[in-house]
Amino acid sequence: VPALEIHELRKIYATGVEALKGVSLSVQPGDFFALLGPNGAGKSTLIGIVSSLVNASSGSVKVFGVDIDANREAAMRLLGLVPQEVNFNFFEKPFDILCNYAGFYGIPRAEAKLRAEQELRRAQLWDKAHTMARTLSGGMKRRLMIARAMMTRPRLLILDEPTAGVDIEIRRGMWRVLKEVNAAGTTVILTTHYLEEAESLCRNLAIIDGGRIIENGPMKTLLAKL
Ligand code: ADP
Ligand code: ADP
């Protein structure tokens, strides 16, 4: 089954804005997939619906075959979300931030500690495990957001413009972590408005504009067209 299957998704906000005008999309397990589009294209709306933060007007979404309306909790257990803005407590330490997050999801303390070490190492933050989060650099904070989302071992990791507004060095640090996450078997979907980001990371992509998918396919095929 696909990691993500979206069928004829529509969203009309209360303001009357039609943010999604019938979007269909399928992402295969193990893929690194980009949803590329300009500001206002509907990317955040789509991610919001998939992660159950926004209600669709119509259409369906399945995560590894689980319909998010019929079985929301089961679908959400398969999914990890990295929000755009850094939102952990700056007065806690990375190790504790990860363990407490895991605790919130019912993961036993001993298991949480094992995972926290693994994720901090993967994010190149192990040497900062017991340092106040406030003192981390911008890049480190962003990588900690990825590490935290991975604590529940999601099969599908979704990132909404993970590198919006950060400089190229920080972006490269995040790309490296995401490549490792994907290489270890997690399906990754990110939204971006940087073609360069999609190009250096993703095997497949969809281009969204004005609430519609205007291109969809392997990165290489689409690059040849541009
Ligand atoms: P993107 O993430 O690609 O920038 P969005 O999904 O944020 O696009 O926005 C798509 C359209 O929906 C835009 O016209 C935006 O102004 C509108 N929109 C987004 N969120 C809301 C909201 N909460 N209420 C009303 N309109 C919204
Ligand atoms: P910034 O200080 O600008 O936020 P980063 O934190 O992203 O930058 O780190 C800058 C560079 O140093 C990146 O290439 C990053 O991968 C590398 N780096 C940062 N922390 C570590 C670490 N603990 N181990 C190995 N490399 C690291």
Side-chain angles (χ1 to χ4, degrees):
V1 298
L4 180 66
E5 196 164 24
I6 293 176
H7 182 69
E8 280 296 309
L9 202 59
R10 290 175 194 278
K11 175 63 185 181
I12 303 171
Y13 282 108
T15 53
V17 172
E18 209 178 346
L20 297 176
K21 300 172 181 170
V23 166
S24 297
L25 206 59
S26 183
V27 177
Q28 295 311 305
D31 201 359
F32 202 135
F33 189 95
L35 185 65
L36 176 70
N39 286 330
K43 303 184 296 298
S44 292
T45 300
L46 190 145
I47 295 304
I49 292 170
V50 171
S51 49
S52 279
L53 302 170
V54 175
N55 286 317
S57 302
S58 65
S60 69
V61 177
K62 287 181 184 172
V63 180
F64 287 98
V66 179
D67 188 290
I68 63 163
D69 290 321
N71 205 340
R72 178 161 302 199
E73 276 188 35
M76 291 310 114
R77 274 198 296 274
L78 297 168
L79 195 144
L81 180 70
V82 179
Q84 242 180 55
E85 68 296 344
V86 172
N87 65 357
F88 48 75
N89 185 342
F90 282 12
F91 294 94
E92 286 178 12
K93 296 163 182 174
F95 193 80
D96 300 329
I97 289 170
L98 299 196
C99 288
N100 293 341
Y101 185 80
F104 181 76
Y105 284 90
I107 295 160
R109 195 74 185 170
E111 173 65 19
K113 287 181 174 178
L114 289 175
R115 291 188 190 184
E117 175 169 356
Q118 235 174 22
E119 295 307 331
L120 288 170
R121 287 190 187 281
R122 178 152 64 186
Q124 297 185 324
L125 290 170
W126 181 236
D127 57 340
K128 302 289 179 189
H130 302 288
T131 306
M132 198 71 88
R134 172 174 51 83
T135 66
L136 301 182
S137 71
M140 291 173 185
K141 288 187 179 107
R142 296 289 185 129
R143 298 201 301 276
L144 183 56
M145 291 292 289
I146 300 172
R148 189 181 64 174
M150 289 306 295
M151 285 297 288
T152 61
R153 300 278 159 84
R155 291 178 67 191
L156 172 62
L157 183 69
I158 296 184
L159 305 97
D160 191 14
E161 303 240 9
T163 64
V166 304
D167 69 36
I168 186 67
E169 268 316 305
I170 295 180
R171 271 196 269 163
R172 288 199 180 116
M174 296 176 73
W175 294 354
R176 202 167 32 241
V177 179
L178 291 175
K179 279 180 179 168
E180 279 189 33
V181 164
N182 180 243
T186 307
T187 309
V188 180
I189 299 177
L190 59 81
T191 71
T192 184
H193 58 263
Y194 300 113
L195 175 61
E196 180 208 6
E197 179 153 279
E199 202 182 333
S200 55
L201 283 175
C202 299
R203 277 186 291 281
N204 294 293
L205 102 156
I207 301 176
I208 185 169
D209 197 11
R212 290 181 214 279
I213 302 290
I214 56 169
E215 294 278 4
N216 187 4
M219 191 73 222
K220 282 177 193 156
T221 313
L222 293 188
L223 280 179
K225 279 194 199 173
L226 292 174

